[in-house]
Amino acid sequence: LLRALRAARPPAELGALLCNLSQAPEGRRALLDRSRRAVQRLLGLVRWPESAELRRGVVGALRNCCFEHEHHEWLLGEEVEALPFLLLPLAGPQELPPEQMEQLPLELQYLPPEHQREEEPEIRKMLLEALMLVLIGDEPEEGMENLLQVGIPEDLEEKLRSLDREEEEEWRKERER
């Protein structure tokens, strides 16, 4: 299966299979085996333009791997540098003030105007879950214990839902053209 990741055009079904296998600890261990470099190959497929099915499975497998907290430092470190791969599909084409732009990883600075966010809401959700898992970890600092259970003010939550609906409607209109 890991050899199939090296193919010029990996089969779309491979993503779902890896996602399912990564639900088991043995599957996550195989993907996180540093000598196999499977995680790096998965990260390279996060923006695979030819198949949403493959992207969905790959992102799901990566998210599942993020449950292995002892690998977070390696995933974020120089050997893997997963953060830009997880953030890029979430980044939009809007411009930021220069001081905010400079704080972003180089891969996310000054994106071209044609850059688009990941169009599949399910994939965006899994990317956010992976980011939360890898950035928060399993042992939050004192005072941060309930970060995953923080209540979002109703007005902000409604605004975010409204923005999501607008974005999905624009996406549907573009697909119908």
Side-chain angles (χ1 to χ4, degrees):
L1 290 175
L2 296 178
R3 274 193 292 258
L5 282 174
R6 292 186 209 136
R9 295 177 58 128
E13 301 81 12
L14 180 62
L17 183 57
L18 290 172
C19 182
N20 287 341
L21 290 173
S22 69
Q23 291 178 23
E26 299 85 6
R28 290 191 299 273
R29 275 195 297 274
L31 291 174
L32 291 164
D33 182 335
R34 296 173 189 204
S35 66
R36 292 181 174 161
R37 300 189 49 83
V39 168
Q40 290 90 329
R41 283 185 249 146
L42 287 174
L43 287 168
L45 296 172
V46 167
R47 301 226 359 120
W48 188 254
E50 298 176 31
S51 171
E53 182 183 355
L54 180 62
R55 287 194 316 272
R56 188 177 305 108
V58 162
V59 171
L62 287 166
R63 181 211 43 214
N64 291 342
C65 287
C66 291
F67 282 102
E68 300 295 327
H69 303 287
E70 64 273 9
H71 293 278
H72 288 178
E73 190 173 327
W74 174 68
L75 289 168
L76 294 173
E78 289 181 16
E79 191 176 343
V80 178
E81 294 188 74
L83 194 56
F85 289 96
L86 298 173
L87 286 170
L88 189 59
L90 298 171
Q94 71 274 8
E95 290 192 27
L96 297 172
E99 59 276 358
Q100 287 180 358
M101 189 69 72
E102 291 172 6
Q103 294 176 349
L104 295 173
L106 286 176
E107 298 86 350
L108 298 170
Q109 293 182 14
Y110 305 104
L111 296 173
E114 64 271 6
H115 175 82
Q116 296 295 314
R117 281 188 186 94
E118 168 59 54
E119 57 190 31
E120 297 277 334
E122 182 183 354
I123 296 174
R124 289 194 311 262
K125 180 181 178 221
M126 287 189 292
L127 285 163
L128 289 170
E129 290 168 349
L131 285 165
M132 286 180 63
L133 285 167
V134 82
L135 294 175
I136 293 174
D138 68 337
E139 295 294 329
E141 296 176 19
E142 192 169 321
M144 301 293 272
E145 293 87 1
N146 295 321
L147 191 57
L148 291 173
Q149 300 169 348
V150 169
I152 299 173
E154 253 182 70
D155 59 329
L156 179 58
E157 193 168 329
E158 183 52 41
K159 183 178 180 180
L160 292 172
R161 277 195 205 108
S162 173
L163 290 170
D164 273 348
R165 285 191 297 269
E166 289 174 20
E167 190 174 300
E168 286 182 33
E169 185 61 32
E170 287 177 28
W171 178 71
R172 271 192 228 106
K173 286 178 184 177
E174 285 184 27
R175 286 188 83 186
E176 291 172 1
R177 292 182 200 171

